[in-house]
Amino acid sequence: MRIIAVIAVLAFCSLSCAGGADRVELVTEGAYPPYNFINDRGELDGFERELGDELCRRARLECEWVTADWEGLIADLANGKYDAIMTGVTITAERDAVIDFTQPYLPPGAAVFVAAAGAGEGVVRGTVGAQVATIFAAYLSDSTAIVREYPTTPELVEAVLGGELDAALVSQAVAQEAVALHGEELVTVGPGLALGLGVGIAVREEDGELRRKLDEAIGAMKEDGSLNALIRRWFGAGAAAF
């Protein structure tokens, strides 16, 4: 897996380590707006960047952000290449069999189809795209549609805009971001699909202490309302929250 860029280093004191903070390499895609993306200044930005910074602060971890291509991230984590993944990873039983998850920092959300403006319901049975190695691609594998997989979500959206795809299956938040960005060129089609058990931080199964620290930080943000406030600021007032 090719690391594209080291984005930022956060340094804080540790409660448990007299010689300095516990260092954690936190990997994200940097191409999944509004969850995470590279902004106009070339910096990692988005909901997960802001949330991850706050979780690391509360857990007293020294977190180093890196970006990497999505495909293969879970296998790389299991093999020890990274300490944690925070890039819109939906919790599923299949993934939980090979890695571990914190409690969800986003509740289960809907997946929706994005299509060109004016499209009808039938586009979901045409040529449909999804990001490779995602729950969306897995769902489409059982459909009658012609399925094409793309490395990133922005490439999926461009394929719909360019007519290569009749529709793309993405998370509701990604769909809303794409529709807002492209004005009247895109619409969502069909009812939302409930997939997965929410979004959590993925860690190795043997890293129980890291999971515990992150779990406590997520739990504290749920309790004081700051997590819901962050969700609504990035995903809108009507977004599902805790």
Side-chain angles (χ1 to χ4, degrees):
M1 182 62 64
R2 178 172 61 89
I3 297 178
I4 300 171
V6 175
I7 305 299
V9 178
L10 310 173
F12 300 99
C13 294
S14 173
L15 284 175
S16 59
C17 182
D22 294 337
R23 183 181 176 277
V24 175
E25 192 170 55
L26 192 56
V27 64
T28 193
E29 187 181 7
Y32 195 53
Y35 293 80
N36 58 80
F37 57 93
I38 305 301
N39 63 26
D40 293 338
R41 299 184 299 278
E43 301 167 340
L44 181 64
D45 205 340
F47 166 74
E48 286 171 322
R49 171 62 198 272
E50 187 171 351
L51 174 60
D53 285 356
E54 178 62 14
L55 292 176
C56 290
R57 185 190 71 79
R58 291 183 183 225
R60 304 196 179 191
L61 299 170
E62 182 183 313
C63 293
E64 178 184 346
W65 286 96
V66 300
T67 59
D69 297 336
W70 160 255
E71 189 176 7
L73 272 188
I74 291 175
D76 285 342
L77 173 69
N79 290 330
K81 188 169 184 178
Y82 308 110
D83 297 313
I85 304 174
M86 193 172 184
T87 185
V89 186
T90 299
I91 302 167
T92 67
E94 293 78 11
R95 289 171 175 170
D96 201 30
V98 294
I99 56 173
D100 204 356
F101 286 95
T102 64
Q103 63 177 294
Y105 57 82
L106 282 172
V112 296
F113 289 93
V114 173
E121 298 285 335
V123 295
V124 303
R125 295 184 293 275
T127 302
V128 182
Q131 187 177 10
V132 65
T134 60
I135 57 170
F136 312 114
Y139 175 84
L140 290 175
S141 67
D142 292 328
S143 75
T144 58
I146 299 169
V147 180
R148 294 180 182 172
E149 297 183 8
Y150 289 73
T152 70
T153 297
E155 288 174 274
L156 269 179
V157 174
E158 289 301 321
V160 173
L161 290 168
E164 297 173 30
L165 295 174
D166 295 316
L169 185 60
V170 297
S171 76
Q172 188 170 40
V174 168
Q176 289 171 343
E177 183 87 356
V179 170
L181 181 63
H182 295 284
E184 299 179 355
E185 296 180 82
L186 294 175
V187 294
T188 57
V189 178
L193 305 169
L195 302 178
L197 303 172
V199 174
I201 301 174
V203 299
R204 290 186 293 271
E205 289 189 328
E206 61 267 28
D207 284 344
E209 180 64 11
L210 175 59
R211 181 186 57 77
R212 183 191 66 76
K213 290 180 179 182
L214 292 170
D215 257 342
E216 287 181 356
I218 294 169
M221 290 188 70
K222 287 178 177 178
E223 186 173 350
D224 67 20
S226 57
L227 181 54
N228 282 348
L230 198 61
I231 290 170
R232 290 177 179 132
R233 187 159 67 77
W234 279 99
F235 298 111
F242 296 99

